[in-house]
Amino acid sequence: MSIPGLHLTQIGRGDFLLDPSRSLNTRNGDQLVETIAARLLQARAARLYYDLSDQSLIDPVYYAWLDMLARAMQAINVRMICIQMQPTAAFALSRFLQEKPRFETALDIDGWR
Amino acid sequence: MVTRKISSEKLKELFGLKISGIAPELEASGIKYFCGDQRLMDPEEVADISLEFESLVVSLLGSKDPTDIQSPEFHALEFFFGSLSQQVLMRGGHVEDVVRYTQSLQLGLIDALSKASGIPFSESRTVLLYFTGIFNELIMAVFRAYLEERESTMQAQQAEIRETATPITEIWDGVLTLPIIGTLDSSRTMLVMEALLNRIAKDHAKAVVMDLTGVKSIDSQVSHHLIQMVRAVQLMGSDAIITGIHPEIARALVSLNIDFNNITTRASMSDGLKEAFSRMGITVSH
């Protein structure tokens, strides 16, 4: 399923992979979250893997988007796991993060499993 | 390029000279400063550099404006002295050796030119001033080369220290160890963190054991750096385990109100490794 700026793919029973592209506009966060949640609920998803491999920097704006999505996932009982966070992104995020993020993290899908 | 008015007759004569064959007379300075106890060069090398110097001086004196220190001919001379300085330093010589050689070469050159032409240049104030100006610039080139050499040596040493100060080892498939020894300040923490995060990505490490046995004291800033490092490791999806916290460090962390809620700690490196292995489903038996 293609959402503007995002690719949502089912990769197994209850598992979905969310792959953001460069055209992702986080200002449309509410609408994006609603579309993703609707698709995941429809498919009875249990886990959402968010691929961060192309995100070299996570700034407060991007983190706010991740946090919003993670809260929505909590609300519909889907575990959100961010995978392949780049060293530069982890470094930047660790500098302003004050508490444990609402999403889980893993090196990759296999690493989490 | 501005061609300056040549005010002295002697200087005019100097610039109009057709010089050749003065290199052997210039060798004495090289022999004195480079072929002594230190044996920085052998006499053949001194003969070669004297010949090269003669050729460069001839080019400069015969150039359009021999007083122009921006001319290609002068830059070639500067380059010659810079390279010579580097060569001597690399062989264990001192910058003083090259400076004294350059000063001695100035006197030797004036003598050789006087002998070759029959004109007593050493009695001309303008000629002496001209050569003093030229050789002062050349000595500057020697010092510049010395400083560059020293700077690159220091950078290489610092890189080596950084490397040895952050010995990240993959002790098992997917398990990294990082013993931290000495003081953790902001700049070092950044270096350690950068190296560690890149290594996690490269080795696909699932667990990192950070051993603080070698850390004797900790302050507010350092503890926050440490927490930041642990957080970054966790964000990448690895497990961070801190080991070897001394009682004084534990007390300091409590008084600094550091939250260890989401951080796994173990008493020793061996316990930390056991924890890392058990999380990965690896059993180590005696």
Short mmCIF file of all heavy atoms in Angstrom, two decimals, chain B residues 232-258:
data_model
loop_
_atom_site.label_atom_id
_atom_site.label_comp_id
_atom_site.label_asym_id
_atom_site.label_seq_id
_atom_site.Cartn_x
_atom_site.Cartn_y
_atom_site.Cartn_z
N ALA B 232 22.16 6.10 23.02
CA ALA B 232 22.42 5.99 21.57
C ALA B 232 22.60 4.54 21.15
O ALA B 232 22.10 4.12 20.10
CB ALA B 232 23.66 6.81 21.21
N VAL B 233 23.28 3.76 22.00
CA VAL B 233 23.47 2.33 21.71
C VAL B 233 22.11 1.64 21.66
O VAL B 233 21.81 0.86 20.74
CB VAL B 233 24.39 1.67 22.78
CG1 VAL B 233 24.39 0.16 22.65
CG2 VAL B 233 25.81 2.21 22.67
N GLN B 234 21.26 1.94 22.65
CA GLN B 234 19.93 1.33 22.70
C GLN B 234 19.08 1.75 21.51
O GLN B 234 18.33 0.94 20.96
CB GLN B 234 19.22 1.72 24.00
CG GLN B 234 19.85 1.07 25.22
CD GLN B 234 19.29 1.61 26.53
OE1 GLN B 234 18.77 2.71 26.57
NE2 GLN B 234 19.44 0.84 27.59
N LEU B 235 19.22 3.01 21.10
CA LEU B 235 18.44 3.49 19.96
C LEU B 235 18.79 2.75 18.68
O LEU B 235 17.95 2.58 17.79
CB LEU B 235 18.66 4.99 19.76
CG LEU B 235 17.91 5.89 20.74
CD1 LEU B 235 18.42 7.31 20.63
CD2 LEU B 235 16.41 5.85 20.48
N MET B 236 20.03 2.32 18.60
CA MET B 236 20.43 1.57 17.41
C MET B 236 19.93 0.14 17.45
O MET B 236 20.06 -0.60 16.48
CB MET B 236 21.95 1.60 17.25
CG MET B 236 22.42 2.93 16.74
SD MET B 236 24.10 2.88 16.21
CE MET B 236 24.01 1.88 14.75
N GLY B 237 19.38 -0.24 18.60
CA GLY B 237 18.79 -1.58 18.72
C GLY B 237 19.71 -2.59 19.37
O GLY B 237 19.47 -3.79 19.30
N SER B 238 20.78 -2.10 20.02
CA SER B 238 21.68 -3.00 20.73
C SER B 238 21.42 -2.91 22.23
O SER B 238 20.85 -1.93 22.71
CB SER B 238 23.14 -2.60 20.49
OG SER B 238 23.50 -2.89 19.20
N ASP B 239 21.89 -3.91 22.94
CA ASP B 239 21.79 -3.87 24.40
C ASP B 239 23.07 -3.28 24.96
O ASP B 239 24.17 -3.67 24.55
CB ASP B 239 21.64 -5.29 24.97
CG ASP B 239 20.26 -5.86 24.68
OD1 ASP B 239 19.32 -5.05 24.56
OD2 ASP B 239 20.14 -7.08 24.55
N ALA B 240 22.93 -2.34 25.89
CA ALA B 240 24.12 -1.78 26.53
C ALA B 240 24.19 -2.30 27.96
O ALA B 240 23.19 -2.25 28.69
CB ALA B 240 24.05 -0.26 26.51
N ILE B 241 25.34 -2.81 28.33
CA ILE B 241 25.52 -3.32 29.69
C ILE B 241 26.73 -2.59 30.28
O ILE B 241 27.82 -2.61 29.69
CB ILE B 241 25.77 -4.85 29.68
CG1 ILE B 241 24.57 -5.56 29.04
CG2 ILE B 241 26.02 -5.37 31.10
CD1 ILE B 241 24.86 -6.97 28.56
N ILE B 242 26.53 -1.94 31.41
CA ILE B 242 27.64 -1.23 32.05
C ILE B 242 28.18 -2.08 33.19
O ILE B 242 27.40 -2.60 34.01
CB ILE B 242 27.18 0.15 32.57
CG1 ILE B 242 26.73 1.02 31.39
CG2 ILE B 242 28.29 0.84 33.35
CD1 ILE B 242 26.43 2.44 31.74
N THR B 243 29.49 -2.23 33.22
CA THR B 243 30.09 -3.06 34.28
C THR B 243 31.21 -2.27 34.99
O THR B 243 31.66 -1.23 34.49
CB THR B 243 30.70 -4.34 33.69
OG1 THR B 243 31.77 -3.97 32.82
CG2 THR B 243 29.69 -5.15 32.93
N GLY B 244 31.62 -2.82 36.12
CA GLY B 244 32.79 -2.29 36.83
C GLY B 244 32.61 -0.93 37.46
O GLY B 244 33.56 -0.14 37.51
N ILE B 245 31.39 -0.66 37.95
CA ILE B 245 31.16 0.65 38.60
C ILE B 245 31.71 0.59 40.03
O ILE B 245 31.25 -0.20 40.85
CB ILE B 245 29.66 1.01 38.60
CG1 ILE B 245 29.15 1.13 37.16
CG2 ILE B 245 29.40 2.31 39.36
CD1 ILE B 245 27.67 1.47 37.02
N HIS B 246 32.70 1.42 40.32
CA HIS B 246 33.28 1.46 41.68
C HIS B 246 32.26 2.03 42.66
O HIS B 246 31.39 2.82 42.27
CB HIS B 246 34.50 2.40 41.69
CG HIS B 246 35.68 1.80 41.01
ND1 HIS B 246 36.40 0.76 41.53
CD2 HIS B 246 36.27 2.11 39.81
CE1 HIS B 246 37.37 0.44 40.70
NE2 HIS B 246 37.32 1.24 39.65
N PRO B 247 32.40 1.69 43.96
CA PRO B 247 31.47 2.25 44.96
C PRO B 247 31.43 3.78 44.93
O PRO B 247 30.35 4.37 45.02
CB PRO B 247 32.03 1.75 46.29
CG PRO B 247 32.82 0.53 45.94
CD PRO B 247 33.33 0.74 44.57
N GLU B 248 32.60 4.40 44.73
CA GLU B 248 32.62 5.88 44.71
C GLU B 248 31.81 6.42 43.53
O GLU B 248 31.13 7.43 43.62
CB GLU B 248 34.05 6.42 44.58
CG GLU B 248 35.07 5.83 45.52
CD GLU B 248 35.72 4.61 44.92
OE1 GLU B 248 36.62 4.77 44.08
OE2 GLU B 248 35.34 3.50 45.30
N ILE B 249 31.91 5.69 42.38
CA ILE B 249 31.17 6.12 41.19
C ILE B 249 29.67 5.94 41.43
O ILE B 249 28.86 6.80 41.08
CB ILE B 249 31.61 5.29 39.95
CG1 ILE B 249 33.12 5.36 39.76
CG2 ILE B 249 30.85 5.72 38.69
CD1 ILE B 249 33.65 6.50 39.00
N ALA B 250 29.32 4.80 42.06
CA ALA B 250 27.90 4.53 42.35
C ALA B 250 27.33 5.64 43.24
O ALA B 250 26.24 6.15 42.99
CB ALA B 250 27.75 3.17 43.02
N ARG B 251 28.12 5.99 44.26
CA ARG B 251 27.67 7.05 45.18
C ARG B 251 27.51 8.37 44.43
O ARG B 251 26.51 9.08 44.58
CB ARG B 251 28.68 7.22 46.33
CG ARG B 251 28.21 8.18 47.40
CD ARG B 251 29.27 8.34 48.49
NE ARG B 251 30.61 8.60 47.96
CZ ARG B 251 31.03 9.75 47.47
NH1 ARG B 251 30.21 10.78 47.44
NH2 ARG B 251 32.26 9.90 47.02
N ALA B 252 28.49 8.66 43.56
CA ALA B 252 28.44 9.91 42.79
C ALA B 252 27.22 9.94 41.86
O ALA B 252 26.53 10.95 41.76
CB ALA B 252 29.71 10.07 41.98
N LEU B 253 26.92 8.79 41.25
CA LEU B 253 25.78 8.72 40.33
C LEU B 253 24.46 8.94 41.06
O LEU B 253 23.56 9.59 40.56
CB LEU B 253 25.75 7.37 39.60
CG LEU B 253 26.87 7.14 38.57
CD1 LEU B 253 26.89 5.70 38.09
CD2 LEU B 253 26.72 8.07 37.38
N VAL B 254 24.40 8.40 42.31
CA VAL B 254 23.19 8.59 43.11
C VAL B 254 23.04 10.07 43.47
O VAL B 254 21.98 10.66 43.31
CB VAL B 254 23.24 7.72 44.39
CG1 VAL B 254 22.12 8.09 45.35
CG2 VAL B 254 23.15 6.25 44.02
N SER B 255 24.13 10.66 43.93
CA SER B 255 24.04 12.07 44.34
C SER B 255 23.79 12.99 43.14
O SER B 255 23.28 14.09 43.29
CB SER B 255 25.26 12.50 45.13
OG SER B 255 26.39 12.36 44.32
N LEU B 256 24.17 12.52 41.95
CA LEU B 256 23.91 13.34 40.74
C LEU B 256 22.51 13.09 40.17
O LEU B 256 22.14 13.67 39.15
CB LEU B 256 24.95 13.02 39.66
CG LEU B 256 26.37 13.51 39.93
CD1 LEU B 256 27.35 12.82 38.99
CD2 LEU B 256 26.46 15.01 39.78
N ASN B 257 21.77 12.20 40.84
CA ASN B 257 20.38 11.92 40.44
C ASN B 257 20.29 11.34 39.03
O ASN B 257 19.41 11.72 38.25
CB ASN B 257 19.56 13.21 40.54
CG ASN B 257 18.16 12.92 41.02
OD1 ASN B 257 17.89 11.77 41.41
ND2 ASN B 257 17.30 13.92 41.01
N ILE B 258 21.22 10.46 38.72
CA ILE B 258 21.21 9.84 37.39
C ILE B 258 20.25 8.65 37.40
O ILE B 258 20.31 7.80 38.30
CB ILE B 258 22.64 9.36 37.02
CG1 ILE B 258 23.61 10.53 36.98
CG2 ILE B 258 22.63 8.61 35.69
CD1 ILE B 258 23.35 11.57 35.93
#
